[in-house]
Amino acid sequence: MLNLSWTNWLKGTFSSKRRNRRRSKLKPRSRRSRRLEVECLEDRTLPSVAVPTYMIEVPPDQPYQSAGPVGFTPQQIRTAYGIDQLYGIIGDGSGQTIAIVDAYDDPNFVDSTNPNFLTSDLHQFDAQFGLPDPPSFTKRDQNGGTSLPGTDPAGAGNPNFEGEEALDVEWAHAIAPGANIILFEANSASPSDLNAAAATAANTPGVSVVSMSFGGAETSSDPSDNSIFTTPSGHNGVTFLASTGDNGSPGGYPAYSPNVVAVGGTNLTLNANNSYNSETGWGNGANSSTQGGSGGGISQFETEPAFQQSVQNTGFRTIPDVAFVADPATGVAVYDSYNNGTSTPWDQVGGTSLACPCWGGLIAIADQGLAQIGVSSLDGSSETLPDLYKLAQTKPGDFHDITSGNNGSFSAGPGYDEVTGLGSPVANLLIPDLEHLHAIKVHDIAFSATEGQALNSIPVATFNGVNGSAAGDFTATITWGDGAVTTGTVVDDGNNTFSVLGSHTYINAGTYTFTVSVQDTVTNTAGSDTIHVNVADAPLLGFGQALNSQVGGFLSNVLVGVFTDTDPTVRSPGQYSATIEWFEGNGLVVTSPGRIVSFSGNTFEVFGDDPFSLPSGGLFPVEVVVTDLNGGASVTINSKLSVASNPAIPPGIPQFGGDTSVVTSQFATMEDALTNLLLSERLFLESVAFGTLDQQQHGFSNLVNAFFAYQAAVFSYDMSLPM
């Protein structure tokens, strides 16, 4: 956060005695008031507005401005923290965009497309240290437009946001020189404007890091703002970072938000070759020459996040999470011509406002490495924060554990503490390990399966490794979802891409939850993915049958079909159902259930009954539909029923005919006529119940003809009786 501590500004001369300057308060917000803080450039009363929280080192009896750089250079900081060992191996932030949120406009920073960029402060900083200009530098207002606000009302030379912007932009770029930078300038230092700028930054395409070097005292309504510091829906992952403050304990918001990486400060000592020597917690403890200190402490309103449960048990959020150099006594060189002029543009600056954008640059480098293997940038709340705490437990060498120094209420000590958090970065170890946690991004491959049919060494997943990985570095476990767990075979596809092959046989059809888990045995990291697999029922094969009957006959327990389940697993008849459709002519279809009986293995017979006799001879279809009740597979068996014809019953008055033997006369007996009448009646009633209008009319005509035939037969019979 902006905690600007300008010290030892005395009238006419500078003294070695350093003192904090007065901090001014934020204008009240409709929901709450908060103040952002800055160390004073001069000993004067500031207007009641929010101000930055960086600190400037003032050498004894010397002006703080200088014609040349003073303080640590980018090369020294990169060497001290191992950042220079990342270049050429992982990257420099290329392809990523760092958003920096501050208030008001610094006119000496202009877009990289502006003709005046070559005289801008950022280009002068780069030229001094041999850094490439960023691929793109732009300024936007808090809504993402180009209507930039005015300069800080505090004016040049006073504690202002222009000094903060110079620090933030130059040092985010110094750590990740290949990253794009967008400076979002809020209309004012009010929390509402700064929050609006932060939200706009997160929603801007390509932004993966949002650095916020400002903050204020906690309020009870802070938790309601936490949602601002989350990755927008549909956006690549965004990590929010905030400085914890420069006035020691307790620190401020938004650093206390559980969605924000809170960055504290240290005093850094280097060896003669610029390698890391030691660090202490920045504050009133050893080696600190200022009255400021790393913000840190226990939140009053934010509950303890899950990622901190391994290091503390206060029940509340504690800060910081991590640390970086911040003591202005061991500060860095900043080019700020807006406040210092072009003849003496340099000063030595510290504060957690330095630590925050530097960590932002580190996260951008990690995101670049993930992008190289096809993985999205880190989400701050769900990935970056939990990952940092996980690595502190599993890879403690990734951090410099700072065990001395205090910030007033808390002292640094082994492990996590409220002065330096988990510690400062050993970047050449931390960044690769941070990437490794997400490098194994498993992508399950959708595949088709059928019950009972073996899957032999089929590709079930792909994943990306890190540079130099080999297939033998990984183990893969496949959970098939039906209770079976097998070991997958890892195959190197080239370009750090690998496939997992698996073999399995599903016994039953259905939908299964399928998971592939991959473990990197070298880095002790893992990844997994889960999909749903639909296993089809094995197909049924049907075989039709030839049936025989005669007019007026009833079929009982006849074999109407045979089927085979191609699933090799032994099945029982109760697993299936069968329905028989008898096509009896005249558009009438009679349905009856089938009885299934085992024949051999998974081959079954279907038997059925025709509940009605057929009215006439011919060849009639019989359809048998068999369904597997466990899997849903079905088959339609087409059989044929051949019906032998009986002599037709002619209309008209029949002549004599015996009725006690087989009918041989061309005329029907009275009994035959009665049978025909009853059959016609049944068919007519069936047509009324189930048939079409044409079928009903046809059935009625048959019934009338049968009635007249029966009437004629009765008359003939009566005439044959003795008088």
Side-chain angles (χ1 to χ4, degrees):
M1 64 197 226
L2 276 174
N3 186 353
L4 174 62
S5 178
W6 296 73
T7 54
N8 296 321
W9 177 277
L10 299 178
K11 293 182 178 180
T13 61
F14 293 92
S15 168
S16 62
K17 180 179 179 181
R18 297 170 175 81
R19 53 195 176 91
N20 289 327
R21 301 304 184 197
R22 183 176 305 169
R23 298 172 295 153
S24 57
K25 296 185 178 180
L26 260 168
K27 292 180 179 179
R29 193 178 178 180
S30 59
R31 293 191 302 156
R32 65 170 182 267
S33 63
R34 172 185 294 132
R35 58 183 183 179
L36 285 98
E37 303 160 337
V38 62
E39 289 293 331
C40 301
L41 288 171
E42 296 181 83
D43 190 11
R44 62 182 71 176
T45 301
L46 300 176
S48 180
V49 294
V51 289
T53 60
Y54 61 91
M55 299 182 73
I56 292 181
E57 171 70 4
V58 181
D61 301 320
Q62 297 179 34
Y64 65 87
Q65 303 102 328
S66 173
V70 288
F72 287 138
T73 68
Q75 289 81 359
Q76 288 178 301
I77 294 299
R78 291 204 303 264
T79 299
Y81 287 116
I83 302 169
D84 59 348
Q85 298 180 47
L86 295 172
Y87 297 161
I89 300 175
I90 294 178
D92 56 2
S94 294
Q96 302 302 306
T97 299
I98 301 172
I100 293 172
V101 178
D102 283 313
Y104 305 115
D105 178 47
D106 186 338
N108 291 3
F109 282 78
V110 298
D111 290 359
S112 54
T113 56
N114 190 308
N116 295 323
F117 180 75
L118 294 180
T119 60
S120 71
D121 283 9
L122 178 55
H123 179 75
Q124 296 301 320
F125 178 85
D126 290 343
Q128 175 65 45
F129 297 116
L131 293 173
D133 290 326
S136 172
F137 171 76
T138 55
K139 293 196 298 185
R140 294 291 181 264
D141 62 36
Q142 68 183 40
N143 299 314
T146 57
S147 300
L148 302 178
T151 57
D152 191 328
N158 286 301
N160 56 37
F161 268 95
E162 283 78 15
E164 180 64 49
E165 289 167 343
L167 169 63
D168 291 351
V169 171
E170 290 170 8
W171 278 87
H173 175 59
I175 301 301
N180 302 311
I181 296 178
I182 305 176
L183 173 61
F184 288 89
E185 298 179 332
N187 293 339
S188 74
S190 71
S192 59
D193 284 341
L194 288 167
N195 285 345
T200 299
N203 279 280
T204 300
V207 167
S208 56
V209 175
V210 177
S211 175
M212 304 177 293
S213 290
F214 56 81
E218 275 196 288
T219 71
S220 60
S221 59
D222 285 340
S224 65
D225 280 345
N226 288 339
S227 60
I228 296 171
F229 311 115
T230 57
T231 300
S233 176
H235 197 280
N236 58 279
V238 178
T239 296
F240 293 81
L241 305 99
S243 53
T244 58
D246 298 345
N247 293 289
S249 178
Y253 190 87
Y256 273 119
S257 170
N259 297 331
V260 171
V261 178
V263 187
T266 70
N267 174 291
L268 174 66
T269 301
L270 304 184
N271 295 314
N273 64 355
N274 294 325
S275 63
Y276 182 91
N277 180 285
S278 64
E279 279 178 289
T280 59
W282 173 42
N284 296 322
N287 296 334
S288 177
S289 58
T290 68
Q291 297 181 24
S294 174
I298 304 172
S299 173
Q300 303 176 69
F301 309 108
E302 303 283 358
T303 58
E304 180 179 306
F307 57 77
Q308 283 195 320
Q309 291 175 358
S310 61
V311 298
Q312 59 103 347
N313 57 4
T314 64
F316 294 91
R317 167 81 158 124
T318 58
I319 59 172
D321 296 306
V322 291
F324 206 87
V325 61
D327 189 340
T330 59
V332 298
V334 172
Y335 190 101
D336 179 11
S337 65
Y338 179 83
N339 286 303
N340 302 331
T342 57
S343 60
T344 56
W346 295 93
D347 47 29
Q348 180 174 321
V349 182
T352 56
S353 285
L354 164 63
C356 180
C358 288
W359 262 96
L362 290 177
I363 299 301
I365 295 174
D367 286 337
Q368 178 194 3
L370 292 173
Q372 291 171 351
I373 57 174
V375 179
S376 177
S377 52
L378 297 170
D379 175 80
S381 60
S382 67
E383 293 178 325
T384 309
L385 280 162
D387 289 351
L388 291 172
Y389 282 84
K390 179 179 180 179
L391 290 175
Q393 300 295 311
T394 60
K395 302 277 187 176
D398 288 355
F399 298 88
H400 297 291
D401 187 12
I402 301 161
T403 58
S404 63
N406 71 76
N407 62 3
S409 299
F410 298 92
S411 296
Y416 177 85
D417 57 68
E418 287 83 355
V419 182
T420 62
L422 300 171
S424 64
V426 182
N428 53 303
L429 300 179
L430 173 64
I431 300 306
D433 285 342
L434 193 60
E435 293 178 0
H436 289 165
L437 290 178
H438 300 276
I440 304 179
K441 192 69 173 180
V442 180
H443 303 278
D444 285 348
I445 300 173
F447 58 90
S448 59
T450 302
E451 65 172 1
Q453 297 183 9
L455 303 170
N456 295 315
S457 295
I458 65 167
V460 294
T462 61
F463 66 92
N464 296 310
V466 295
N467 290 330
S469 296
D473 297 340
F474 305 97
T475 60
T477 301
I478 305 172
T479 303
W480 296 92
D482 59 352
V485 180
T486 64
T487 298
T489 300
V490 178
V491 177
D492 191 340
D493 297 330
N495 297 320
N496 295 318
T497 301
F498 301 85
S499 294
V500 178
L501 309 182
S503 299
H504 183 58
T505 300
Y506 284 101
I507 302 302
N508 296 306
T511 300
Y512 297 93
T513 300
F514 172 84
T515 301
V516 177
S517 300
V518 176
Q519 178 79 27
D520 187 334
T521 59
V522 176
T523 63
N524 194 31
T525 56
S528 65
D529 191 30
T530 297
I531 61 173
H532 294 292
V533 173
N534 294 317
V535 178
D537 198 5
L540 305 178
L541 303 179
F543 308 93
Q545 303 296 303
L547 293 71
N548 295 291
S549 183
Q550 62 181 9
V551 170
F554 290 85
L555 296 177
S556 177
N557 198 35
V558 295
L559 180 64
V560 295
V562 177
F563 70 92
T564 298
D565 192 335
T566 59
D567 182 359
T569 307
V570 177
R571 305 296 186 182
S572 64
Q575 182 173 322
Y576 311 94
S577 68
T579 301
I580 308 170
E581 293 186 333
W582 307 85
F583 293 83
E584 296 198 351
N586 296 325
L588 296 179
V589 180
V590 177
T591 302
S592 64
R595 292 182 295 279
I596 300 173
V597 178
S598 292
F599 177 72
S600 175
N602 276 354
T603 298
F604 303 87
E605 297 175 318
V606 181
F607 293 87
D609 304 323
D610 181 6
F612 306 108
S613 60
L614 295 161
S616 60
L619 197 61
F620 297 90
V622 178
E623 285 189 358
V624 183
V625 179
V626 179
T627 302
D628 187 335
L629 300 177
N630 289 337
S634 64
V635 65
T636 298
I637 304 170
N638 294 304
S639 296
K640 295 292 183 181
L641 172 61
S642 178
V643 179
S645 299
N646 282 331
I649 301 175
I653 300 174
Q655 303 298 318
F656 170 82
D659 59 346
T660 59
S661 61
V662 177
V663 177
T664 58
S665 170
Q666 61 177 337
F667 301 107
T669 64
M670 185 172 65
E671 288 83 357
D672 293 330
L674 178 59
T675 299
N676 189 54
L677 175 61
L678 294 175
L679 288 172
S680 298
E681 180 185 32
R682 180 182 69 81
L683 290 174
F684 172 70
L685 294 175
E686 288 278 347
S687 68
V688 170
F690 306 106
T692 65
L693 180 60
D694 288 340
Q695 291 169 345
Q696 293 170 7
Q697 292 174 345
H698 183 69
F700 180 75
S701 297
N702 286 342
L703 178 59
V704 170
N705 289 336
F707 174 78
F708 285 129
Y710 175 71
Q711 186 181 47
V714 171
F715 177 80
S716 176
Y717 177 77
D718 288 341
M719 292 298 294
S720 66
L721 295 175
M723 296 300 292

